[in-house]
Amino acid sequence: MALAALGWVLADGQRAERFLALSGMTPETLRAGLADPAGQNAVLGGVLDFLLSYEPYLVAAADALDISPQALAAAREKLV
Protein backbone atom coordinates (compact mmCIF):
# COMPACT_ATOMS: atom_id res chain seq x y z
CA MET A 1 0.00 0.00 0.00
CA ALA A 2 2.80 2.43 0.87
CA LEU A 3 4.57 1.61 -2.38
CA ALA A 4 1.38 2.35 -4.31
CA ALA A 5 1.13 5.63 -2.40
CA LEU A 6 4.69 6.46 -3.45
CA GLY A 7 3.70 5.81 -7.06
CA TRP A 8 0.79 8.21 -6.65
CA VAL A 9 3.03 10.90 -5.16
CA LEU A 10 5.63 10.55 -7.90
CA ALA A 11 3.06 10.53 -10.71
CA ASP A 12 2.71 14.31 -10.43
CA GLY A 13 5.81 16.47 -10.85
CA GLN A 14 4.78 19.19 -8.38
CA ARG A 15 3.75 16.63 -5.77
CA ALA A 16 7.00 14.74 -6.26
CA GLU A 17 9.06 17.91 -5.89
CA ARG A 18 7.18 18.86 -2.74
CA PHE A 19 7.71 15.39 -1.28
CA LEU A 20 11.43 15.48 -2.00
CA ALA A 21 11.78 18.99 -0.61
CA LEU A 22 9.89 18.24 2.59
CA SER A 23 11.52 14.85 3.15
CA GLY A 24 15.03 16.06 2.40
CA MET A 25 15.52 13.25 -0.07
CA THR A 26 16.94 13.50 -3.54
CA PRO A 27 15.91 11.18 -6.38
CA GLU A 28 19.14 9.29 -5.74
CA THR A 29 18.57 8.83 -2.00
CA LEU A 30 14.98 7.82 -2.68
CA ARG A 31 16.11 5.10 -5.11
CA ALA A 32 18.86 3.98 -2.75
CA GLY A 33 16.45 3.79 0.17
CA LEU A 34 14.03 1.67 -1.80
CA ALA A 35 16.81 -0.63 -2.98
CA ASP A 36 18.06 -1.21 0.57
CA PRO A 37 15.79 -3.54 2.58
CA ALA A 38 16.79 -1.74 5.78
CA GLY A 39 15.91 1.64 4.30
CA GLN A 40 12.61 0.73 2.70
CA ASN A 41 10.53 1.25 5.84
CA ALA A 42 12.02 4.70 6.36
CA VAL A 43 11.28 5.76 2.78
CA LEU A 44 7.78 4.30 2.73
CA GLY A 45 7.05 5.70 6.18
CA GLY A 46 8.17 9.08 4.91
CA VAL A 47 5.73 8.83 2.01
CA LEU A 48 2.86 8.04 4.34
CA ASP A 49 3.91 10.82 6.72
CA PHE A 50 3.87 13.20 3.76
CA LEU A 51 0.31 12.20 2.88
CA LEU A 52 -0.88 12.24 6.47
CA SER A 53 0.46 15.76 6.97
CA TYR A 54 -1.66 17.25 4.17
CA GLU A 55 -5.29 16.16 4.12
CA PRO A 56 -6.02 17.05 0.47
CA TYR A 57 -3.21 14.73 -0.65
CA LEU A 58 -4.29 12.05 1.81
CA VAL A 59 -7.85 12.05 0.54
CA ALA A 60 -6.82 12.22 -3.13
CA ALA A 61 -4.30 9.39 -2.73
CA ALA A 62 -6.81 7.21 -0.90
CA ASP A 63 -9.37 7.85 -3.61
CA ALA A 64 -6.89 7.06 -6.38
CA LEU A 65 -5.81 3.86 -4.62
CA ASP A 66 -9.42 2.91 -3.84
CA ILE A 67 -8.79 2.66 -0.10
CA SER A 68 -9.78 4.75 2.89
CA PRO A 69 -7.58 7.47 4.36
CA GLN A 70 -7.74 5.47 7.59
CA ALA A 71 -6.15 2.51 5.79
CA LEU A 72 -3.18 4.70 4.87
CA ALA A 73 -2.89 5.86 8.47
CA ALA A 74 -3.03 2.24 9.66
CA ALA A 75 -0.33 1.30 7.15
CA ARG A 76 1.89 4.01 8.64
CA GLU A 77 1.41 2.59 12.11
CA LYS A 78 2.51 -0.85 10.86
CA LEU A 79 5.77 0.59 9.52
CA VAL A 80 6.84 1.95 12.91
Side-chain angles (χ1 to χ4, degrees):
M1 185 180 319
L3 195 54
L6 174 61
W8 181 84
V9 168
L10 298 178
D12 177 81
Q14 287 182 323
R15 231 180 8 237
E17 285 180 27
R18 182 178 171 151
F19 169 68
L20 292 174
L22 292 174
S23 69
M25 288 188 234
T26 64
E28 294 77 22
T29 58
L30 176 64
R31 281 191 287 275
L34 290 172
D36 175 21
Q40 284 178 358
N41 279 359
V43 170
L44 296 176
V47 170
L48 294 174
D49 287 342
F50 173 73
L51 295 175
L52 292 168
S53 70
Y54 187 61
E55 188 174 359
Y57 282 173
L58 175 64
V59 171
D63 186 52
L65 300 174
D66 198 29
I67 56 176
S68 71
Q70 294 83 4
L72 287 168
R76 178 59 183 114
E77 292 298 317
K78 290 181 182 179
L79 286 175
V80 173

Coordinates of all heavy atoms in Angstrom, one line a residue:
M1 N 0.8 -1.2 0.0 CA 0.0 0.0 0.0 C 0.9 1.3 0.0 O 0.6 2.2 -0.7 CB -0.9 0.0 1.2 CG -1.9 1.1 1.2 SD -3.0 1.1 2.7 CE -3.5 -0.6 2.9
A2 N 1.9 1.3 0.8 CA 2.8 2.4 0.9 C 3.5 2.6 -0.4 O 3.8 3.7 -0.9 CB 3.8 2.3 2.0
L3 N 3.9 1.5 -1.1 CA 4.6 1.6 -2.4 C 3.6 2.2 -3.4 O 4.0 3.0 -4.3 CB 5.1 0.2 -2.8 CG 6.1 0.2 -3.9 CD1 7.3 1.1 -3.6 CD2 6.6 -1.2 -4.1
A4 N 2.4 1.8 -3.4 CA 1.4 2.3 -4.3 C 1.2 3.8 -4.0 O 1.1 4.6 -5.0 CB 0.0 1.6 -4.2
A5 N 1.2 4.2 -2.8 CA 1.1 5.6 -2.4 C 2.3 6.4 -2.9 O 2.2 7.5 -3.4 CB 1.0 5.8 -0.9
L6 N 3.5 5.8 -2.9 CA 4.7 6.5 -3.4 C 4.5 6.7 -5.0 O 4.8 7.7 -5.5 CB 5.9 5.6 -3.2 CG 7.2 6.1 -3.9 CD1 7.6 7.5 -3.4 CD2 8.4 5.1 -3.6
G7 N 4.0 5.7 -5.6 CA 3.7 5.8 -7.1 C 2.8 7.0 -7.3 O 3.0 7.7 -8.3
W8 N 1.7 7.1 -6.5 CA 0.8 8.2 -6.7 C 1.5 9.6 -6.4 O 1.3 10.5 -7.2 CB -0.4 8.1 -5.7 CG -1.4 9.1 -5.8 CD1 -2.4 9.2 -6.7 CD2 -1.5 10.4 -5.1 NE1 -3.1 10.4 -6.6 CE2 -2.6 11.1 -5.6 CE3 -0.7 10.9 -4.0 CZ2 -2.9 12.3 -5.1 CZ3 -1.1 12.1 -3.5 CH2 -2.1 12.8 -4.0
V9 N 2.3 9.6 -5.4 CA 3.0 10.9 -5.2 C 3.9 11.3 -6.3 O 3.9 12.4 -6.8 CB 3.9 10.8 -3.8 CG1 4.8 12.0 -3.7 CG2 2.9 10.7 -2.6
L10 N 4.7 10.3 -6.8 CA 5.6 10.5 -7.9 C 5.0 10.7 -9.3 O 5.7 11.2 -10.2 CB 6.7 9.4 -8.0 CG 7.5 9.3 -6.7 CD1 8.5 8.1 -6.9 CD2 8.2 10.5 -6.3
A11 N 3.7 10.4 -9.4 CA 3.1 10.5 -10.7 C 2.8 12.0 -11.1 O 2.6 12.3 -12.3 CB 1.7 9.8 -10.7
D12 N 2.9 12.9 -10.2 CA 2.7 14.3 -10.4 C 4.0 15.1 -10.1 O 4.5 15.0 -9.0 CB 1.6 14.8 -9.6 CG 1.3 16.3 -9.8 OD1 0.7 16.7 -10.8 OD2 1.8 17.1 -8.9
G13 N 4.5 15.8 -11.0 CA 5.8 16.5 -10.8 C 5.8 17.4 -9.7 O 6.8 17.4 -8.9
Q14 N 4.8 18.2 -9.5 CA 4.8 19.2 -8.4 C 4.7 18.5 -7.0 O 5.4 18.8 -6.1 CB 3.6 20.2 -8.5 CG 3.8 21.2 -9.6 CD 2.7 22.2 -9.7 OE1 1.5 21.8 -9.5 NE2 3.0 23.4 -9.9
R15 N 3.9 17.4 -7.0 CA 3.7 16.6 -5.8 C 5.1 16.0 -5.4 O 5.5 16.0 -4.3 CB 2.7 15.6 -6.0 CG 1.6 15.5 -4.9 CD 0.6 14.5 -5.1 NE 0.7 13.5 -6.2 CZ -0.2 13.3 -7.2 NH1 -1.3 14.0 -7.2 NH2 0.0 12.4 -8.1
A16 N 5.7 15.4 -6.5 CA 7.0 14.7 -6.3 C 8.1 15.7 -5.7 O 8.8 15.4 -4.8 CB 7.5 14.1 -7.6
E17 N 8.1 16.9 -6.3 CA 9.1 17.9 -5.9 C 8.8 18.3 -4.5 O 9.7 18.5 -3.7 CB 9.0 19.1 -6.8 CG 9.6 18.9 -8.1 CD 9.6 20.1 -9.0 OE1 9.5 21.3 -8.5 OE2 9.6 20.0 -10.3
R18 N 7.5 18.5 -4.1 CA 7.2 18.9 -2.7 C 7.6 17.8 -1.8 O 8.1 18.0 -0.7 CB 5.7 19.1 -2.6 CG 5.3 19.6 -1.3 CD 3.8 19.9 -1.2 NE 3.5 20.1 0.2 CZ 2.5 20.9 0.6 NH1 1.8 21.5 -0.2 NH2 2.3 21.0 1.9
F19 N 7.3 16.5 -2.1 CA 7.7 15.4 -1.3 C 9.2 15.4 -1.1 O 9.7 15.3 0.1 CB 7.2 14.1 -1.9 CG 7.9 12.9 -1.2 CD1 7.5 12.6 0.1 CD2 8.8 12.1 -1.8 CE1 8.1 11.5 0.8 CE2 9.4 11.0 -1.2 CZ 9.0 10.7 0.1
L20 N 10.0 15.5 -2.1 CA 11.4 15.5 -2.0 C 11.9 16.6 -1.2 O 12.8 16.5 -0.3 CB 12.1 15.5 -3.4 CG 11.9 14.2 -4.2 CD1 12.5 14.4 -5.6 CD2 12.5 13.0 -3.5
A21 N 11.4 17.8 -1.4 CA 11.8 19.0 -0.6 C 11.5 18.8 0.9 O 12.3 19.1 1.7 CB 11.1 20.2 -1.2
L22 N 10.3 18.4 1.2 CA 9.9 18.2 2.6 C 10.6 17.1 3.3 O 10.8 17.1 4.5 CB 8.4 18.1 2.7 CG 7.6 19.4 2.3 CD1 6.1 19.1 2.4 CD2 7.9 20.5 3.3
S23 N 10.9 16.0 2.5 CA 11.5 14.8 3.2 C 13.0 15.0 3.2 O 13.7 14.3 4.0 CB 11.2 13.6 2.4 OG 11.8 13.6 1.1
G24 N 13.6 15.9 2.4 CA 15.0 16.1 2.4 C 15.7 15.0 1.5 O 17.0 15.0 1.5
M25 N 14.9 14.3 0.8 CA 15.5 13.2 -0.1 C 15.8 13.8 -1.4 O 15.2 14.8 -1.8 CB 14.6 12.1 -0.3 CG 14.4 11.2 0.9 SD 13.5 9.7 0.5 CE 12.2 9.8 1.8
T26 N 16.7 13.2 -2.1 CA 16.9 13.5 -3.5 C 16.4 12.3 -4.3 O 16.2 11.2 -3.7 CB 18.4 13.7 -3.8 OG1 19.1 12.4 -3.6 CG2 19.0 14.8 -3.0
P27 N 16.3 12.4 -5.6 CA 15.9 11.2 -6.4 C 16.9 10.0 -6.1 O 16.4 8.9 -6.0 CB 15.9 11.6 -7.8 CG 15.6 13.1 -7.8 CD 16.3 13.6 -6.5
E28 N 18.1 10.3 -6.0 CA 19.1 9.3 -5.7 C 19.0 8.6 -4.4 O 19.0 7.4 -4.3 CB 20.6 9.9 -5.9 CG 20.9 10.3 -7.2 CD 20.3 11.7 -7.6 OE1 19.9 12.5 -6.7 OE2 20.2 11.9 -8.9
T29 N 18.7 9.4 -3.3 CA 18.6 8.8 -2.0 C 17.2 8.1 -1.9 O 17.2 7.1 -1.2 CB 18.7 9.9 -0.9 OG1 17.7 10.9 -1.0 CG2 20.0 10.5 -0.8
L30 N 16.3 8.5 -2.6 CA 15.0 7.8 -2.7 C 15.2 6.4 -3.3 O 14.8 5.4 -2.7 CB 13.9 8.6 -3.5 CG 12.6 8.0 -3.7 CD1 11.9 7.8 -2.4 CD2 11.8 8.8 -4.6
R31 N 15.8 6.4 -4.5 CA 16.1 5.1 -5.1 C 17.0 4.2 -4.2 O 16.7 3.0 -4.1 CB 16.8 5.3 -6.5 CG 15.9 5.7 -7.6 CD 16.5 5.7 -8.9 NE 17.5 6.8 -9.1 CZ 17.2 8.0 -9.5 NH1 15.9 8.3 -9.8 NH2 18.1 8.9 -9.7
A32 N 18.0 4.8 -3.6 CA 18.9 4.0 -2.8 C 18.1 3.4 -1.6 O 18.3 2.3 -1.2 CB 20.1 4.8 -2.3
G33 N 17.2 4.2 -1.0 CA 16.5 3.8 0.2 C 15.5 2.7 -0.2 O 15.3 1.7 0.6
L34 N 14.9 2.7 -1.4 CA 14.0 1.7 -1.8 C 14.8 0.4 -2.2 O 14.3 -0.7 -2.0 CB 13.2 2.1 -3.0 CG 12.2 3.2 -2.7 CD1 11.5 3.7 -4.0 CD2 11.1 2.6 -1.7
A35 N 16.0 0.5 -2.6 CA 16.8 -0.6 -3.0 C 17.4 -1.4 -1.8 O 17.7 -2.5 -1.8 CB 17.9 -0.2 -3.9
D36 N 17.5 -0.7 -0.6 CA 18.1 -1.2 0.6 C 16.9 -1.7 1.5 O 16.1 -0.9 2.0 CB 18.9 -0.1 1.3 CG 19.4 -0.6 2.6 OD1 19.5 -1.8 2.9 OD2 19.7 0.3 3.5
P37 N 16.9 -3.0 1.7 CA 15.8 -3.5 2.6 C 15.7 -2.8 3.9 O 14.6 -2.6 4.4 CB 16.1 -5.0 2.7 CG 17.0 -5.3 1.5 CD 17.7 -4.1 1.2
A38 N 16.8 -2.4 4.5 CA 16.8 -1.7 5.8 C 16.2 -0.3 5.6 O 15.7 0.2 6.6 CB 18.2 -1.7 6.4
G39 N 16.4 0.3 4.5 CA 15.9 1.6 4.3 C 14.5 1.8 3.8 O 13.9 2.9 3.8
Q40 N 13.9 0.7 3.3 CA 12.6 0.7 2.7 C 11.6 1.3 3.7 O 10.7 2.1 3.3 CB 12.2 -0.7 2.2 CG 12.9 -1.0 0.9 CD 12.5 -2.4 0.4 OE1 11.7 -3.1 1.1 NE2 13.0 -2.8 -0.7
N41 N 11.5 0.8 4.9 CA 10.5 1.3 5.8 C 10.6 2.7 6.1 O 9.6 3.4 6.2 CB 10.6 0.5 7.2 CG 9.9 -0.9 7.1 OD1 9.4 -1.2 6.1 ND2 10.0 -1.6 8.2
A42 N 11.8 3.3 6.1 CA 12.0 4.7 6.4 C 11.5 5.5 5.2 O 10.8 6.5 5.4 CB 13.5 5.0 6.6
V43 N 11.8 5.1 4.0 CA 11.3 5.8 2.8 C 9.8 5.7 2.7 O 9.1 6.7 2.5 CB 11.9 5.2 1.5 CG1 11.2 5.7 0.3 CG2 13.4 5.5 1.5
L44 N 9.2 4.5 2.8 CA 7.8 4.3 2.7 C 7.1 5.0 3.9 O 6.0 5.6 3.7 CB 7.4 2.8 2.6 CG 8.0 2.1 1.4 CD1 7.7 0.6 1.4 CD2 7.5 2.8 0.1
G45 N 7.6 5.0 5.1 CA 7.0 5.7 6.2 C 7.0 7.2 5.9 O 6.1 7.9 6.2
G46 N 8.1 7.7 5.3 CA 8.2 9.1 4.9 C 7.1 9.5 3.9 O 6.5 10.6 4.0
V47 N 6.8 8.6 3.0 CA 5.7 8.8 2.0 C 4.4 8.9 2.7 O 3.6 9.9 2.5 CB 5.7 7.7 1.0 CG1 4.4 7.8 0.1 CG2 6.9 7.7 0.1
L48 N 4.1 8.0 3.6 CA 2.9 8.0 4.3 C 2.8 9.2 5.3 O 1.7 9.9 5.4 CB 2.7 6.7 5.1 CG 2.5 5.5 4.2 CD1 2.4 4.2 5.0 CD2 1.3 5.6 3.3
D49 N 3.9 9.6 5.9 CA 3.9 10.8 6.7 C 3.6 12.0 5.9 O 2.8 12.9 6.3 CB 5.3 11.0 7.4 CG 5.5 10.0 8.5 OD1 4.5 9.4 9.0 OD2 6.7 9.9 8.9
F50 N 4.1 12.1 4.7 CA 3.9 13.2 3.8 C 2.4 13.3 3.5 O 1.8 14.4 3.5 CB 4.7 13.0 2.5 CG 4.4 13.9 1.3 CD1 4.8 15.2 1.4 CD2 3.7 13.5 0.2 CE1 4.6 16.1 0.3 CE2 3.4 14.3 -0.8 CZ 3.9 15.6 -0.8
L51 N 1.7 12.2 3.2 CA 0.3 12.2 2.9 C -0.5 12.5 4.1 O -1.5 13.3 4.0 CB -0.1 10.8 2.3 CG 0.5 10.5 1.0 CD1 0.0 9.1 0.6 CD2 0.1 11.5 -0.1
L52 N -0.1 12.0 5.2 CA -0.9 12.2 6.5 C -0.8 13.7 7.0 O -1.6 14.2 7.7 CB -0.4 11.3 7.6 CG -0.8 9.8 7.3 CD1 -0.1 8.9 8.3 CD2 -2.3 9.6 7.4
S53 N 0.3 14.4 6.5 CA 0.5 15.8 7.0 C -0.3 16.8 6.1 O -0.4 17.9 6.5 CB 1.9 16.1 7.0 OG 2.4 16.2 5.6
Y54 N -0.9 16.3 5.0 CA -1.7 17.3 4.2 C -2.9 16.6 3.7 O -2.9 15.7 2.8 CB -0.8 17.7 3.0 CG -1.4 18.8 2.1 CD1 -1.7 20.0 2.6 CD2 -1.6 18.5 0.8 CE1 -2.2 21.0 1.8 CE2 -2.1 19.5 0.0 CZ -2.4 20.7 0.5 OH -2.9 21.7 -0.3
E55 N -4.0 16.9 4.4 CA -5.3 16.2 4.1 C -5.7 16.1 2.7 O -6.2 15.0 2.2 CB -6.4 16.7 5.0 CG -7.7 15.9 4.9 CD -8.7 16.4 5.9 OE1 -8.5 17.4 6.6 OE2 -9.8 15.7 5.9
P56 N -5.6 17.2 1.9 CA -6.0 17.0 0.5 C -5.3 15.9 -0.3 O -5.9 15.2 -1.1 CB -5.7 18.4 -0.1 CG -5.9 19.4 1.1 CD -5.3 18.6 2.2
Y57 N -4.0 15.8 0.0 CA -3.2 14.7 -0.7 C -3.6 13.4 -0.1 O -3.8 12.4 -0.9 CB -1.7 14.9 -0.4 CG -1.0 15.9 -1.3 CD1 0.3 16.2 -1.1 CD2 -1.7 16.6 -2.4 CE1 1.0 17.2 -1.8 CE2 -1.0 17.5 -3.1 CZ 0.3 17.8 -2.9 OH 1.0 18.7 -3.7
L58 N -3.9 13.3 1.2 CA -4.3 12.0 1.8 C -5.6 11.6 1.2 O -5.7 10.4 0.8 CB -4.4 12.2 3.3 CG -5.0 11.0 4.1 CD1 -4.0 9.8 4.0 CD2 -5.3 11.4 5.5
V59 N -6.6 12.4 1.1 CA -7.9 12.1 0.5 C -7.7 11.7 -0.9 O -8.3 10.7 -1.4 CB -8.9 13.2 0.8 CG1 -10.2 12.9 0.0 CG2 -9.1 13.4 2.3
A60 N -7.0 12.5 -1.7 CA -6.8 12.2 -3.1 C -6.1 10.9 -3.4 O -6.5 10.1 -4.3 CB -6.1 13.4 -3.8
A61 N -5.0 10.6 -2.6 CA -4.3 9.4 -2.7 C -5.2 8.2 -2.4 O -5.2 7.2 -3.1 CB -3.1 9.4 -1.9
A62 N -5.9 8.3 -1.3 CA -6.8 7.2 -0.9 C -7.8 6.9 -2.0 O -8.1 5.8 -2.3 CB -7.5 7.6 0.4
D63 N -8.4 8.0 -2.5 CA -9.4 7.9 -3.6 C -8.7 7.2 -4.8 O -9.3 6.2 -5.4 CB -9.9 9.2 -4.0 CG -11.1 9.1 -5.0 OD1 -12.0 8.3 -4.8 OD2 -11.0 9.8 -6.0
A64 N -7.6 7.6 -5.2 CA -6.9 7.1 -6.4 C -6.5 5.6 -6.2 O -6.5 4.8 -7.1 CB -5.6 7.9 -6.7
L65 N -6.2 5.2 -4.9 CA -5.8 3.9 -4.6 C -7.0 3.0 -4.2 O -6.8 1.8 -3.9 CB -4.8 3.9 -3.5 CG -3.5 4.6 -3.8 CD1 -2.6 4.7 -2.6 CD2 -2.7 4.0 -5.0
D66 N -8.2 3.6 -4.2 CA -9.4 2.9 -3.8 C -9.3 2.3 -2.4 O -9.7 1.1 -2.2 CB -9.8 1.9 -4.9 CG -11.2 1.4 -4.8 OD1 -12.1 2.2 -4.4 OD2 -11.5 0.3 -5.2
I67 N -8.8 3.1 -1.5 CA -8.8 2.7 -0.1 C -9.2 3.9 0.7 O -9.4 5.0 0.2 CB -7.4 2.2 0.3 CG1 -6.4 3.3 0.0 CG2 -7.0 0.9 -0.4 CD1 -5.0 3.0 0.5
S68 N -9.4 3.6 2.0 CA -9.8 4.8 2.9 C -8.5 5.5 3.4 O -7.5 4.9 3.5 CB -10.6 4.2 4.1 OG -9.7 3.5 5.0
P69 N -8.7 6.8 3.7 CA -7.6 7.5 4.4 C -7.1 6.8 5.7 O -5.9 6.7 6.0 CB -8.2 8.9 4.7 CG -9.2 9.0 3.6 CD -9.8 7.7 3.5
Q70 N -8.1 6.2 6.4 CA -7.7 5.5 7.6 C -6.8 4.3 7.3 O -6.0 3.9 8.1 CB -9.0 5.0 8.3 CG -9.8 6.2 8.8 CD -10.8 6.8 7.8 OE1 -10.9 6.3 6.7 NE2 -11.4 7.9 8.2
A71 N -7.0 3.6 6.1 CA -6.1 2.5 5.8 C -4.7 3.0 5.6 O -3.8 2.3 6.0 CB -6.7 1.8 4.5
L72 N -4.5 4.2 5.0 CA -3.2 4.7 4.9 C -2.6 5.0 6.2 O -1.4 4.8 6.5 CB -3.2 5.9 4.0 CG -3.4 5.7 2.5 CD1 -3.7 7.0 1.7 CD2 -2.2 4.9 1.9
A73 N -3.4 5.6 7.1 CA -2.9 5.9 8.5 C -2.5 4.6 9.2 O -1.5 4.5 9.9 CB -3.9 6.6 9.3
A74 N -3.3 3.5 9.0 CA -3.0 2.2 9.7 C -1.8 1.6 9.1 O -1.0 1.0 9.8 CB -4.2 1.3 9.5
A75 N -1.5 1.8 7.8 CA -0.3 1.3 7.2 C 0.9 2.0 7.7 O 1.9 1.4 8.0 CB -0.4 1.5 5.6
R76 N 0.8 3.3 8.0 CA 1.9 4.0 8.6 C 2.2 3.5 10.0 O 3.4 3.3 10.4 CB 1.5 5.5 8.7 CG 2.7 6.3 9.4 CD 3.9 6.2 8.6 NE 5.1 6.8 9.2 CZ 6.1 6.2 9.7 NH1 6.2 4.9 9.7 NH2 7.1 6.9 10.2
E77 N 1.2 3.2 10.8 CA 1.4 2.6 12.1 C 2.1 1.2 12.0 O 3.0 0.9 12.9 CB 0.1 2.4 12.9 CG -0.6 3.7 13.2 CD 0.3 4.6 14.2 OE1 0.9 4.0 15.1 OE2 0.4 5.8 13.9
K78 N 1.9 0.5 11.0 CA 2.5 -0.8 10.9 C 4.0 -0.7 10.5 O 4.8 -1.7 10.7 CB 1.8 -1.7 9.8 CG 0.4 -2.1 10.3 CD -0.3 -3.0 9.2 CE -1.7 -3.3 9.7 NZ -2.4 -4.1 8.7
L79 N 4.4 0.4 9.9 CA 5.8 0.6 9.5 C 6.6 1.1 10.7 O 7.9 1.1 10.5 CB 5.9 1.6 8.3 CG 5.4 1.1 7.0 CD1 5.5 2.2 6.0 CD2 6.3 -0.1 6.6
V80 N 6.1 1.4 11.8 CA 6.8 1.9 12.9 C 7.7 0.9 13.5 O 7.4 -0.3 13.6 CB 5.9 2.6 14.0 CG1 6.7 3.0 15.2 CG2 5.2 3.8 13.4

